Amino acid sequence: MIYDPYSRTMQEDPYPTYQWFRDESPCAYNEKMDFYALFRFEDVWEATLDWETYSSSLGPMLENRGQIPSEMFSIIGLDPPAHTRFRNLVSRGFTPRRIGALEREMREIARRYLDALSDRSEFDIQHEFSVKLPMDVISALLGIPPEYRDRYRRWVDGGLERDPDTGLPSEEGISGMRQARDLILDLLAQRRAAPQEDLISLLANADLEEPDQPPRRLTDAEVVGFCGLLAAAGAETTAKLIGNAVVYLGRDPAQRKRLFDDPSRIPLGVEELLRYDAPSQFQGRVAMRDVTVAGVTIPKGARVALVTGAACRDEREFEDPDRLDLARHTKREIYFGYGQHFCIGKSLARLEARIALEEIATRFPNYEVDESGLARTYQAHVRGFKNVPIRV
Ligand code: HEM
């Protein structure tokens, strides 16, 4: 069997294939795409901790074999110590105080989109709500003016799409990424001149400490790279989480009722939804030395996929892993990554998902998913729905 993360079968339902690989070939080589993949929880967990063996320096996408182009510079493609310095700096934009300060605005955004649907009995909640909320929240965090937010989301979205046959982004997608970059550059110039209370201002004016060098400001490419990463890593994943939540709760009205009747259960339920169908299915690495996993030697220089989506369903770690149990407590979580690169936006994502579900619960507690209209996106490593039509 071959693990091709971009194939339609895998995009539709990867879980039977993952199970086969966990049992039969936990460290597998894809000859055509020339990369190795790890599927078991323990192996993925260990690899995320061992950055000296599994480097992030070629970025999260498996296609990249050479240097990351400068406009794609971002924290996710760095190793310590450069990673640690950059991460310490940008973490200041994600403190509990800063995230907490966004809660009211987040709820207002969620309410505005959902209230606009109140006189309709059928709509596509993914399209009307789940993709809009996270991107608006990131835009608010960054300081992107409201009138640009829709466009910015479309540009970023298009850049993430992959042709299932070639695995490549389209011309239009590439051009969208360029337009998104130009917008950030404009805002950056404005914020360098007149800082505001937003993340672009923080990045524009923060000092990066490097050994034996005087502190320096981030370059335009560094700020653009980081903002691009936030949009790519934070918006699509959270949108998929909300869409998955709507679909899987819709399929299990009894569990949904328990959650909606007692919203204090929502945070734990969100964790289980993340485990059950991880929005980010694999993380790319490159082997810095020969390393043997489950009897297979990955040669130095090979690309490696840490398949978190498969790890989240590993029965060696989770009891009855294919069952969605919204009251499940787990010892370890891997869906936000682990080690140096664990998701910097996880508190934000959790808060958004909680707010989204609370607001859906008060308006449409008994919605029904129109299963025949469900459609998935075909994206690099983000898994989830493009269309989620519901009746309320
Ligand atoms: C459900 C939502 C989300 C999921 C499932 C998710 C998942 C992940 C995962 C698995 C990683 C680790 C990547 C690696 O090891 O190479 C990661 C890193 C990252 N995430 Fe998220 N993420 C989510 C939401 C967000 C949000 C809302 C933001 C920001 C607004 C964000 C920003 C980032 C950044 C900047 C990194 C790179 C951190 C580093 O390299 O140090 N993510 N995320």
Side-chain angles (χ1 to χ4, degrees):
M1 203 182 294
I2 293 171
Y3 165 57
D4 173 357
Y6 304 140
S7 73
R8 282 190 193 275
T9 322
M10 286 304 280
Q11 300 259 352
E12 286 300 328
D13 181 8
Y15 294 108
T17 311
Y18 286 161
Q19 162 123 42
W20 186 89
F21 277 104
R22 281 194 308 268
D23 292 344
E24 305 298 331
S25 180
C27 174
Y29 179 57
N30 177 328
E31 202 175 318
K32 192 168 144 229
M33 295 170 73
D34 187 25
F35 71 92
Y36 289 76
L38 306 184
F39 297 92
R40 287 187 181 166
F41 186 95
E42 201 63 44
D43 295 337
V44 172
W45 182 263
E46 290 299 322
T48 54
L49 281 174
D50 184 1
W51 58 268
E52 283 169 308
T53 304
Y54 298 95
S55 160
S56 291
S57 58
L58 290 186
M61 305 296 184
L62 295 169
E63 295 92 322
N64 190 18
R65 304 292 148 140
Q67 287 306 304
I68 300 176
S70 61
E71 70 267 22
M72 289 295 288
F73 171 94
S74 66
I75 185 173
I76 207 161
L78 292 176
D79 290 328
H83 174 267
T84 316
R85 285 194 291 271
F86 198 83
R87 172 120 185 175
N88 287 346
L89 188 154
V90 297
S91 294
R92 289 181 222 153
F94 293 86
T95 57
R97 193 179 60 82
R98 278 194 170 248
I99 300 305
L102 281 175
E103 175 164 357
R104 215 186 50 184
E105 191 173 356
M106 266 187 227
R107 201 175 286 279
E108 275 166 14
I109 298 169
R111 286 184 174 161
R112 198 172 59 239
Y113 284 128
L114 291 174
D115 285 346
L117 299 166
S118 59
D119 56 352
R120 288 168 61 182
S121 57
E122 291 179 18
F123 49 86
D124 185 335
I125 193 162
Q126 194 65 11
H127 194 68
E128 305 285 353
F129 175 65
S130 315
V131 296
K132 291 184 172 168
L133 173 69
M135 199 61 209
D136 278 9
V137 169
I138 289 173
S139 294
L141 180 82
L142 286 171
I144 293 178
E147 63 271 25
Y148 284 103
R149 293 181 183 174
D150 258 0
R151 258 174 289 173
Y152 188 61
R153 176 166 45 75
R154 277 200 304 275
W155 290 334
V156 173
D157 231 11
L160 280 178
E161 279 184 18
R162 290 289 178 278
D163 182 321
D165 300 320
T166 64
L168 296 171
S170 66
E171 282 295 314
E172 208 181 307
I174 294 169
S175 136
M177 291 304 257
R178 289 210 185 97
Q179 285 170 287
R181 180 197 57 195
D182 291 346
L183 174 63
I184 300 293
L185 282 173
D186 278 354
L187 293 172
L188 181 59
Q190 291 170 27
R191 299 302 195 274
R192 286 208 208 276
Q196 297 186 8
E197 280 291 307
D198 57 40
L199 188 59
I200 294 186
S201 301
L202 186 147
L203 299 171
N205 299 297
D207 286 324
L208 184 68
E209 312 268 350
E210 286 174 319
D212 308 324
Q213 309 254 344
R216 66 162 177 91
R217 292 282 145 95
L218 297 180
T219 62
D220 285 4
E222 285 168 337
V223 175
V224 166
F226 185 65
C227 296
L229 173 66
L230 287 192
E236 274 307 302
T237 43
T238 312
K240 298 301 184 275
L241 168 61
I242 298 171
N244 287 348
V246 171
V247 172
Y248 300 133
L249 295 180
R251 285 179 187 167
D252 194 336
Q255 288 208 71
R256 175 178 65 187
K257 185 168 182 338
R258 276 200 293 281
L259 207 68
F260 284 4
D261 285 353
D262 175 4
S264 72
R265 292 170 178 261
I266 289 179
L268 193 61
V270 167
E271 300 303 309
E272 172 68 348
L273 288 157
L274 282 158
R275 182 201 68 81
Y276 183 72
D277 202 4
S280 175
Q281 289 274 302
F282 67 86
Q283 326 307 322
R285 297 290 189 267
V286 55
M288 300 306 280
R289 61 177 177 87
D290 287 3
V291 54
T292 302
V293 181
V296 175
T297 298
I298 303 173
K300 181 176 174 182
R303 299 288 342 236
V304 186
L306 310 180
V307 190
T308 33
C312 284
R313 294 278 192 110
D314 190 348
E315 56 282 19
R316 294 158 194 81
E317 178 71 14
F318 306 105
E319 207 183 309
D320 202 359
D322 293 331
R323 192 164 63 87
L324 180 75
D325 172 2
L326 296 176
R328 185 191 292 266
H329 287 271
T330 60
K331 287 200 291 292
R332 300 187 284 185
E333 68 191 47
I334 192 78
Y335 36 78
F336 283 122
Y338 191 58
Q340 305 292 330
H341 291 273
F342 80 81
C343 179
I344 207 169
K346 63 182 186 176
S347 313
L348 193 66
R350 284 173 165 143
L351 182 57
E352 273 176 70
R354 171 166 71 73
I355 289 175
L357 288 178
E358 285 170 2
E359 297 298 325
I360 291 172
T362 57
R363 287 168 181 75
F364 318 118
N366 301 311
Y367 68 83
E368 276 173 35
V369 176
D370 171 7
E371 294 274 340
S372 68
L374 286 179
R376 289 192 170 277
T377 48
Y378 290 98
Q379 288 180 338
H381 53 280
V382 178
R383 172 175 163 76
F385 295 97
K386 180 158 78 180
N387 300 108
V388 179
I390 62 171
R391 281 182 290 273
V392 300

